[in-house]
Amino acid sequence: MKKLSVIVPCYNESEVLAAFYKEITRVADSCENYEFELLFVNDGSRDDTLNIIEGFSKNDKRVKYISFSRNFGKEAAMLAGLEYCTGDFAGFIDADLQHSPDLIPEMLKAVDEDGYDVAACKRVDREGESKFKSFLSASFYKIINKISETYIDDGAQDYRIMKRSVVEAILSMRECSRFTKGIFSWVGFNTKWFPHENRERAAGTTKWSVTKLFKYALDGIIGYTSSPLRISTYSGIFLIILSALYAIGVIIRLIAAGHVFSLTLRAVLFAVLFVGGLVLVCIGIAGEYLSRIYTEVKDRPKYLIAKTNCDK
Ligand code: UDP
Ligand code: MG
């Protein structure tokens, strides 16, 4: 019998876990031809999440868990899940029931019988999300797809099932700043897309703050394109041409009128401020890349496990 590992990243999800477990086991029981592994990754929750998961695992052999020593973020939780899962297929699903488990049988069929490597969900609307958040994420995808070599699909969700070969491909990418949406798209493979409505969270609140999302967006841009670095080169060239034209203009005026107006002084002041600002921005951009190189070079573990019932 083929095995599907369902990886569930959990961060302070005690309110919703019981409902989630009920739903996922109902679907697992209905897929009679497959063995299931429910791999919960407790991402340093400060509530009862770990106790609840341990409770499940006592009565249900399918339940495996990994518990981090602190909160390392959803990206790290997903990575740990892939590293420890044992299935022929592996999939991600959120614990908050925003991802409907009822799609799993169809997704399994796509990868097992229809010859696809990945079955992934795509958001069709942004209902239930704040206008501000929708606007920010729409702008993010517009920018990143203009400047990045890897196309990153707006609306592509983490909710997906993939073959073992895809799992190995994702694991072969060892970077520390993990932007999973970029990784999914970078590895490629034959993907079947499932339209999936955004549902309301069953309980609890979103774990993503605006600052967390901003950092995530920055990781996405910096991880998948070097074009911001080129801004400094291009603007430098532009400024050199501009200042050369300006100098020529001043010389012509000097020859024609014999003097220049004090207006020039203000223009110079403006130019100094403008160039100063530009230089700082460019240094900042280079610094963002540098700090990520530093993180990669340190090569610290992407997560630390405090407790697990996995064999590996
Ligand atoms: N999550 C996690 N670590 C984090 C933040 C979130 O493991 O630092 C998990 C969370 O428990 C949930 C999933 O990632 O299962 C998606 O999080 P959430 O529902 O808060 O995000 P949203 O749906 O609002 O984008
Ligand atoms: Mg959610």
Side-chain angles (χ1 to χ4, degrees), residues 118-138:
V118 182
C121 285
K122 198 178 215 158
R123 167 159 46 198
V124 281
D125 60 28
R126 288 188 170 277
E127 224 175 282
E129 205 177 80
S130 76
K131 280 235 164 65
F132 181 61
K133 207 170 158 188
S134 302
F135 169 76
L136 279 186
S137 82

Side-chain angles (χ1 to χ4, degrees), residues 135-146:
F135 169 76
L136 279 186
S137 82
S139 325
F140 165 68
Y141 286 106
K142 238 181 237 151
I143 295 174
I144 197 167
N145 284 323
K146 274 245 162 65

Side-chain angles (χ1 to χ4, degrees), residues 88-232:
D88 304 286
F89 306 102
F92 298 114
I93 189 166
D94 281 0
D96 57 9
L97 287 173
Q98 279 186 310
H99 299 157
S100 154
D102 288 307
L103 261 179
I104 289 178
E106 269 179 73
M107 287 160 84
L108 256 179
K109 181 172 171 290
V111 286
D112 195 21
E113 292 168 27
D114 302 345
Y116 289 93
D117 299 306
V118 182
C121 285
K122 198 178 215 158
R123 167 159 46 198
V124 281
D125 60 28
R126 288 188 170 277
E127 224 175 282
E129 205 177 80
S130 76
K131 280 235 164 65
F132 181 61
K133 207 170 158 188
S134 302
F135 169 76
L136 279 186
S137 82
S139 325
F140 165 68
Y141 286 106
K142 238 181 237 151
I143 295 174
I144 197 167
N145 284 323
K146 274 245 162 65
I147 59 180
S148 157
E149 297 85 30
T150 309
Y151 179 74
I152 292 169
D153 204 329
D154 183 7
Q157 296 177 321
D158 295 335
Y159 185 22
R160 56 184 63 220
I161 289 177
M162 55 211 142
K163 282 186 177 160
R164 184 46 57 188
S165 50
V166 184
V167 174
E168 299 303 335
I170 292 176
L171 289 180
S172 71
M173 297 176 77
R174 301 307 310 161
E175 59 237 65
C176 297
S177 312
R178 296 187 79 82
F179 177 69
T180 315
K181 275 207 174 77
I183 291 178
F184 288 150
S185 146
W186 192 90
V187 296
F189 289 98
N190 192 7
T191 304
K192 180 168 186 180
W193 291 101
F194 289 80
H196 180 257
E197 302 283 339
N198 227 13
R199 302 200 302 183
E200 289 274 321
R201 228 176 195 283
T205 52
T206 178
K207 307 298 178 294
W208 290 86
S209 58
V210 172
T211 34
K212 242 181 177 177
L213 281 172
F214 184 72
K215 202 191 149 282
Y216 182 73
L218 216 58
D219 274 342
I221 292 177
I222 290 176
Y224 286 86
T225 172
S226 312
S227 32
L229 280 176
R230 256 166 262 145
I231 291 176
S232 49

